[in-house]
Amino acid sequence: MNGEKERPRRVPLPVLLLSAAGLLPPLMALFVRLAAGARPESPLPGTIGALGLIYSALILSFLGGIWWGVAVARVTRAELPPLVGIAVTPTIVALVLIGLSLGRPMLAGILLGLVILATPLVDRHLRTKRLVPPWWMRLRVSMSVLLGVLTIGLGLTAG
């Protein structure tokens, strides 16, 4: 990557803060679900939990958009087809899992969390090719682990 030496190795503070803030919706949804044990008759935990799963699916789709942007901006024409193919996959998977959550929210949440946990594999490929900044993996692994675990937690509390 041209300019690799000039690029920061630490995650820029605005990126880190906004990424961390992005964990608040599923964290709050899981909190509501866990706190609802005292009031199982309330529809709020189910609604909030469903919104938490949809949010996680949106983030998965957003990651695919990032991968698409990196692909079209930074790779050669020969490298483009497989990477844009991978880039559209998160949106399709997210849609399928949102559909699954309508009838099987526990299974959908667990599967969605596992898919999110696997996303750094694509990011590692992008970093190996020097298509993303040096700090990218530090951010992506931590955010994927946290969001993946929160999403699995939402799935486990859906039953």
Side-chain angles (χ1 to χ4, degrees):
M1 171 185 284
N2 293 338
E4 180 85 22
K5 291 179 183 166
E6 296 101 35
R7 299 185 86 177
R9 298 199 72 69
R10 296 180 70 200
V11 179
L13 186 58
V15 173
L16 185 61
L17 292 175
L18 290 170
S19 295
L23 294 172
L24 291 175
L27 183 62
M28 291 186 307
L30 184 57
F31 175 78
V32 168
R33 277 249 173 108
L34 292 172
R39 299 193 117 158
E41 72 282 353
S42 171
L44 183 63
T47 301
I48 295 294
L51 289 173
L53 289 177
I54 291 169
Y55 178 84
S56 293
L58 288 170
I59 295 298
L60 179 62
S61 182
F62 176 76
L63 291 173
I66 291 171
W67 299 339
W68 178 280
V70 169
V72 298
R74 310 213 59 170
V75 302
T76 66
R77 187 177 292 262
E79 295 172 308
L80 191 61
L83 199 48
V84 293
I86 290 169
V88 299
T89 303
T91 301
I92 296 166
V93 170
L95 181 62
V96 168
L97 291 175
I98 288 171
L100 179 63
S101 74
L102 299 175
R104 310 263 324 257
M106 180 183 285
L107 179 61
I110 292 168
L111 291 175
L112 181 56
L114 291 172
V115 170
I116 291 168
L117 286 171
T119 59
L121 296 173
V122 175
D123 294 298
R124 183 176 63 185
H125 173 76
L126 298 177
R127 182 61 204 135
T128 300
K129 296 234 177 228
R130 296 181 176 220
L131 299 172
V132 293
W135 49 263
W136 188 255
M137 288 307 294
R138 223 173 280 126
L139 175 73
R140 288 292 303 119
V141 169
S142 59
M143 290 296 113
S144 294
V145 167
L146 291 169
L147 182 60
V149 168
L150 287 169
T151 304
I152 290 170
L154 283 169
L156 291 173
T157 59

